[in-house]
Amino acid sequence: MQRFVIEGGKRLSGRVSISGAKNSALPIIAASLLTANRVVLNNIPDLVDVRMMIELIEYLGAKVEFAHHTIKIHTPKLKRIDAPYDIVRKMRASYYVLGALLVRARRAKVSLPGGCAIGPRPVDLHIKGLRALGVDIDIEDGFINAQARRLVGHDVNLQGPKGTSVGATINVMIAAAGAQGETVINSAACEPEIVDVADFLNAMGFDISGQGTHTIIIRGQASTRDVEYGIIPDRIEAGTFAVAAALTRGRITIENCRPDHLTIILAKLEEIGGKMTRGEKTVDVRGYGRKQAINIYVAPYPGFPTDMQAQFMALLSITPGTSTIKETIFENRFMQAVELMRMGADILIEGDTAVVNGVRKLSGTYLMASDLRASASLVLAGLVAKGKTIVRRIYHLDRGYEKFEIKLRGLGACIKRQRE
Ligand code: EPZ
């Protein structure tokens, strides 16, 4: 096990370069199985989850080279059609291979992903969408057994109990790309990562339109071509560094990002009391100190991203006044709260709402990471806490942040990685 040791109190300054988006890389790597052509992917972040997805597609028959943020993938034919429990349990995004396996082999056996720290994580909408395309699915012994004599395009509505579904939209889009005829996905999710997957599929030779809106049209066809594609930058990594600058009253330049993907995040930081200067691929963040408590209402894109609420909770815990955060997507995504309270934060959890009363300072102590974004929240709190903060079980962070402590040190933070 490894941990981060952080000395708080340093103002961040300088430049940080954002890596490719984890939540684009995972489905796009999986979708590369759709073709026997050669696929080259650029701007791929070197993350634990990316390496697990590579391990999975190699298990299924892909030949893969991954170096210097570029992946070369060639899958002349599949060797297997199952995604074993041991891989899926570690990374639920493994279910993204379902659609590609059905297109290439007309059958797939993927372990049910199960829940995770932030909630039960059902896949009923994935199943509903695939069944609409003519896939026979039954669930037996914890596995999704899927087969389809033919994949036939169809209209499908993917509205779930919490609104749209990123995963279900992507999974159905991948399967529909290889189906006969047209598929219309209504109530599609609009996240930038979905647009990225659709743009990649079009670069391969498929025909998708409407990505970024709630209605995506996929005109199924099989002819693909060799493709080279660069994925978008990670908006959640960029947002995490913007919060780090605001927390420490620092001034940083975030490079290789998409300011247009950060609209609500930057607006909320300006509401608290920061100054954000947007360039074409950069954002200058100046943390003017925390002046104004705010209310955050999590919602699907373009609303406030659930993947940013933990990071903002750290910032609001030392912002004067009473702020509220309403988490509408996941059932158990406030796990950072108890750890922040051990640092002196004053937070009250009332169902899906966190009430955060800003305190003057946080104190460093031993903390336990729990899930990816809650762990990031604890690191951010450590940057501004008095004294030393030790964040344990940082493998959670290595799943979604590339060289996190190295990038923070490059901005002047006093943080180092140690063996437990
Ligand atoms: C993706 O998860 C992201 N993961 C999550 O990021 C992100 O928080 C989430 O989208 C929301 O933006 C990846 O892209 C790998 P959903 P996903 O399907 O696809 C319910 C991170 O930190 N639902 O949009 O699993 C579900 O329970 C991770 O990078 C159903 O009810 O999210 C949730 O309440 C964490 N039935 C809501 O919909 C289904 O079949 C949104 O889930 C599917 C989902």
Side-chain angles (χ1 to χ4, degrees):
M1 295 270 211
Q2 295 184 328
R3 64 188 193 178
F4 281 155
V5 179
I6 306 161
E7 277 296 337
K10 306 282 187 289
R11 282 191 178 196
L12 299 192
S13 66
R15 311 176 79 81
V16 63
S17 183
I18 299 303
S19 301
K22 166 177 83 79
N23 294 347
S24 282
L26 297 177
I28 286 175
I29 292 168
S32 66
L33 292 173
L34 279 170
T35 177
N37 292 96
R38 294 178 187 282
V39 176
V40 176
L41 301 172
N42 297 316
N43 198 32
I44 298 293
D46 191 351
L47 302 170
V48 167
D49 275 14
V50 164
R51 289 187 177 274
M52 276 200 275
M53 184 60 86
I54 291 171
E55 183 190 329
L56 175 55
I57 67 168
E58 285 180 320
Y59 171 85
L60 296 171
K63 296 179 180 58
V64 184
E65 292 168 44
F66 181 32
H68 310 302
H69 300 114
T70 291
I71 294 185
K72 293 177 182 167
I73 301 168
H74 189 212
T75 317
K77 64 183 178 56
L78 292 173
K79 274 193 318 199
R80 298 183 182 89
I81 54 94
D82 66 303
Y85 173 70
D86 196 42
I87 294 180
V88 178
R89 73 177 175 81
K90 289 183 283 189
M91 187 190 55
R92 57 181 271 101
S94 307
Y95 55 41
Y96 281 138
V97 301
L98 253 176
L101 292 174
L102 286 165
V103 170
R104 287 293 295 274
R106 294 286 184 275
R107 57 201 182 94
K109 179 178 181 182
V110 175
S111 166
L112 273 173
C116 72
I118 64 178
R121 312 298 292 276
V123 290
D124 57 303
L125 295 172
H126 299 240
I127 291 169
K128 173 186 175 186
L130 293 174
R131 280 180 170 148
L133 300 179
V135 181
D136 294 325
I137 291 183
D138 60 58
I139 295 182
E140 202 173 24
D141 307 330
F143 277 85
I144 299 171
N145 295 299
Q147 55 185 357
R149 273 194 314 287
R150 281 177 68 221
L151 282 169
V152 181
H154 200 280
D155 288 14
V156 63
N157 190 310
L158 292 181
Q159 178 78 10
K162 305 289 181 63
T164 53
S165 163
V166 171
T169 302
I170 290 175
N171 238 345
V172 173
M173 197 164 64
I174 291 172
Q180 297 300 320
E182 182 175 278
T183 296
V184 178
I185 301 177
N186 296 300
S187 304
C190 306
E191 276 68 3
E193 294 75 26
I194 292 177
V195 174
D196 213 12
V197 175
D199 291 349
F200 166 65
L201 292 171
N202 284 339
M204 289 172 86
F206 293 107
D207 179 358
I208 296 173
S209 57
Q211 57 268 39
T213 75
H214 288 306
T215 304
I216 300 178
I217 299 167
I218 304 108
R219 293 172 194 83
Q221 59 179 3
S223 60
T224 56
R225 51 181 178 251
D226 289 358
V227 62
E228 179 159 1
Y229 185 82
I231 72 171
I232 59 173
D234 194 310
R235 60 193 167 100
I236 304 302
E237 184 193 19
T240 302
F241 280 104
V243 171
L247 256 174
T248 61
R249 289 196 174 90
R251 177 173 185 175
I252 70 170
T253 299
I254 300 173
E255 298 178 323
N256 300 323
C257 70
R258 284 280 300 268
D260 57 320
H261 293 164
L262 302 171
T263 307
I264 187 77
I265 295 169
L266 301 179
K268 284 297 180 184
L269 288 174
E270 284 170 331
E271 201 180 325
I272 294 170
K275 180 163 173 40
M276 312 289 136
T277 308
R278 297 151 180 83
E280 195 196 336
K281 294 183 179 176
T282 61
V283 177
D284 269 308
V285 179
R286 184 181 293 193
Y288 274 160
R290 286 92 40 182
K291 291 194 171 52
Q292 169 74 35
I294 64 167
N295 296 313
I296 289 177
Y297 185 94
V298 163
Y301 193 88
F304 187 92
T306 173
D307 293 349
M308 281 300 304
Q309 64 90 348
Q311 299 89 314
F312 267 76
M313 189 181 282
L315 172 57
L316 295 173
S317 64
I318 54 167
T319 298
T322 298
S323 298
T324 63
I325 301 175
K326 190 174 176 62
E327 168 60 63
T328 63
I329 305 281
F330 291 111
E331 294 76 6
N332 185 32
R333 206 166 193 185
F334 287 145
M335 279 174 296
Q336 68 280 353
V338 283
E339 295 297 288
L340 292 171
M341 285 188 256
R342 295 183 54 246
M343 301 177 83
D346 175 359
I347 302 168
L348 176 66
I349 304 295
E350 292 173 334
D352 63 2
T353 301
V355 180
V356 185
N357 295 308
V359 294
R360 277 178 37 75
K361 70 172 177 58
L362 297 175
S363 302
T365 183
Y366 280 86
L367 302 172
M368 192 71 81
S370 54
D371 70 87
L372 173 55
R373 307 304 176 183
S375 312
S377 167
L378 302 184
V379 173
L380 295 181
L383 295 177
V384 76
K386 188 172 177 332
K388 186 181 286 189
T389 298
I390 289 101
V391 181
R392 310 176 65 188
R393 294 189 184 168
I394 54 168
Y395 60 86
H396 290 290
L397 280 162
D398 293 334
R399 298 190 55 174
Y401 290 95
E402 183 178 7
K403 299 190 174 71
F404 195 35
E405 81 276 18
I406 294 168
K407 291 187 179 185
L408 284 169
R409 262 206 308 275
L411 293 170
C414 181
I415 177 172
K416 57 179 183 277
R417 184 186 288 255
Q418 278 183 355
R419 288 207 172 289
E420 281 283 9

